[in-house]
């Protein structure tokens, strides 16, 4: 799921922590996205457009 973090967010799991910075637009697991959105630190976003091999947008 693609999200944009509106504030810094640490996703803490047993054995590891992932730190996301405010302003990052990333693809994260649904569990991470749900926790960040519930905390008010991320909003759902659309996936960025990909370019084809010839440089045109798909």
């Amino acid at each position: 799921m693609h999200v944009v973090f509106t504030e810094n967010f640490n996703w803490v799991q047993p054995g590891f922590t992932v730190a996301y910075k405010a302003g990052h637009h990333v693809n994260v697991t649904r569990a991470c996205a749900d926790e960040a959105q519930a905390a008010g630190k991320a909003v759902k976003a659309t996936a960025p457009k990909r370019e084809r091999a010839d440089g045109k947008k798909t």
Side-chain angles (χ1 to χ4, degrees):
M1 172 178 259
H2 286 269
V3 296
V4 174
F5 288 93
T6 56
E7 296 180 38
N8 291 346
F9 177 73
N10 290 332
W11 189 50
V12 180
Q13 295 297 298
F16 68 93
T17 299
V18 181
Y20 295 101
K21 298 286 185 184
H24 281 186
H25 179 177
V26 292
N27 187 18
V28 297
T29 63
R30 184 166 306 277
C32 177
D34 290 345
E35 285 183 37
Q37 289 177 344
K41 297 193 176 193
V43 294
K44 189 175 180 180
T46 58
K49 297 288 184 188
R50 298 176 66 181
E51 289 188 11
R52 302 185 321 198
D54 60 7
K56 295 181 181 175
K57 300 268 184 198
T58 57

